[in-house]
Amino acid sequence: MKNLLWMGWLSASLFVCSAPCAAKHVPSIDPPLMGWSSWNTYRVNIDQQLIEKQADALISQGLKDVGYIYINVDDGFFGYRDASGQMHAHRERFPNGMKVVADYIHSLGLRAGIYSDAGDNTCGSIWDNDANGVGAGLYGHDQQDIDLYIKEWGYDFIKIDYCGGQDLGLDEEERYDAICKAIANTGREDVSINICRWAFPGTWASRMARSWRISSDINPSWKSVKYIIDKNLYLSAYAGGGHYNDMDMLEIGRGLTPNEEEVHFGIWCIMSSPLLIGCDLTTIPEASLRLLKNKELIALNQDSLGLQAYVALRQNDGYVLVKDIEQKRGLTRAVALYNPSENFCRFSVPLSTLELGGKVKARDLIQHKDLDKLNGMIEQSVPPHSVLIWKLTGEKRLEPNSYEAEWAYLPCYDDLGQKPKLIHYETSAQSSGQMKVSNIGGKAENYIEWNEVYSEQGGAYDLTVYYSCPKPRKLEICLNGEKQTLDKLSSDKDQVSTVTIPVVLRPGYNQVRMGNDFGWAPDIDRFTLQKKGSATQ
Ligand code: GLA
């Protein structure tokens, strides 16, 4: 994958700095995938000429130059299996086979992607009447198909769908594990894997794939874009280290309003989703093309830290999303003021909640404009279905004093909806950020964890837990591996109560876990830290 990295590095460094500081930003992780995919516009109605024309257009429209380097053939290329079980390309659509398509894509200096299913039948066979998709999935043919697609045909990316797997009632983790082993057996280490299970599949996904879908299929409507953003708001803990939540292929250039397109692209960028264009590149409207080529937004997406923005604050109907860019806990952060509602949304955001102090420089990344310096607050009114995306640079980075449950990592969490009583993020009007985590505990591994609890100098703090729990429950708190037990915590129904314990933090990052090895723990809203001897904030 290393040969891909320069792309992300190039776009990131164009944005962040000039040559002298470039060495600091050499990434060690793969950035989110960028390219074009056939599904959104063409569904199964694809052919060799069409794919090659889109690959040509990617280049002539200047998209390769800004980092879009994948051409992904989605569902629709399947022909038939011969007597030995070997898959062949669709006779009419791809009369020369699939290798020539990959070769053509490679000849343009691009990378090629292909599609399959973890079960026996493809989604196209179910939803698009594609009879050739019956029996075309990987199930029963893992190594044979993978060798063909990856080694013989030479594809560099594979999206693995789950319609067939779902119909057969297969176990997701086992299936994807077996397929990934087949991919590893090819000896190719640069293949990019996408798990397409239409919901956050579980923390195992990041061991196997570069990205995993978190929602059902996108369509070119505001409702769909808003729904997918909603699904990803509280999944920031699972993106990182070169592995990403996939918000699905882009519907830019397919009829959204200009403001909605900015939300779509801007939020996909700040959340570090893969960026796979889904429109016809030969007829894309000028404004949509300009947006897709916005280097300042692309740099957020391809940033060397590879982080997903999290919801720092809710304000009226809006969300304030933030993430570090360029340097962890540095002076520069990216922020989005996102208004999904039908009315204007007023944002009054104290910059201290974004951990930035002093005079703060602001740049509008959508409009490519420097703004007046901010002093203490962001005051903005954002129109309906709109977003502002800014890069902020403060004079000081402030120590955080509050950690929301909805930012935390839950090792046992998934969004597959199959396990009753599963730990999960839950809306809660009484909780800060209007979210909490429920169903913590019952077994040692079912905890909630914050891995980057930061103290500038270390030392003695009061740690206050905000929790709710109508019946008395035990809470075990592990700080850097050392456990303290709080017995019989309870709160009035649905109300949030607090309990404070003294702790000693190390300088730098600390790890806080909360759980209960045997019974249920209280629901957790957040915790705060107050340095001993400092004034209450
Ligand atoms: C599923 C996937 C889509 C697309 C189709 C192909 O619906 O989620 O992205 O790949 O299958 O049939």
Side-chain angles (χ1 to χ4, degrees), residues 10-170:
L10 179 67
S11 46
S13 59
L14 280 175
F15 168 38
V16 296
C17 60
S18 53
C21 68
K24 218 165 71 189
H25 304 301
V26 173
S28 55
I29 55 164
D30 294 330
L33 212 76
M34 291 175 71
W36 176 88
S37 175
S38 56
W39 182 255
N40 284 1
T41 300
Y42 302 103
R43 300 190 72 97
V44 294
N45 307 307
I46 50 175
D47 57 47
Q48 178 181 347
Q49 212 195 359
L50 182 152
I51 300 292
E52 293 181 357
K53 245 171 82 179
Q54 294 296 323
D56 292 341
L58 188 89
I59 292 177
S60 62
Q61 298 280 31
L63 288 159
K64 181 187 174 197
D65 293 340
V66 293
Y68 296 90
I69 55 164
Y70 277 82
I71 292 287
N72 291 351
V73 179
D74 206 286
D75 203 350
F77 69 87
F78 299 101
Y80 62 98
R81 287 193 189 279
D82 65 21
S84 70
Q86 167 104 335
M87 176 55 67
H88 292 262
H90 194 288
R91 280 199 182 97
E92 288 85 47
R93 296 176 186 160
F94 294 93
N96 304 307
M98 297 310 291
K99 180 166 165 23
V100 295
V101 180
D103 288 349
Y104 183 77
I105 295 169
H106 289 148
S107 75
L108 299 176
L110 300 170
R111 291 174 71 83
I114 202 159
Y115 164 96
S116 194
D117 192 286
D120 50 1
N121 301 335
T122 64
C123 291
S125 74
I126 299 168
W127 301 106
D128 288 67
N129 278 329
D130 184 20
N132 291 3
V134 175
L138 295 168
Y139 193 57
H141 299 273
D142 283 356
Q143 199 65 57
Q144 188 180 25
D145 284 3
I146 291 295
D147 282 349
L148 180 69
Y149 301 161
I150 304 296
K151 282 215 295 210
E152 240 176 87
W153 292 352
Y155 284 84
D156 313 291
F157 161 94
I158 183 162
K159 166 176 173 178
I160 306 158
D161 220 336
Y162 206 69
C163 286
Q166 193 169 47
D167 283 355
L168 293 173
L170 303 176

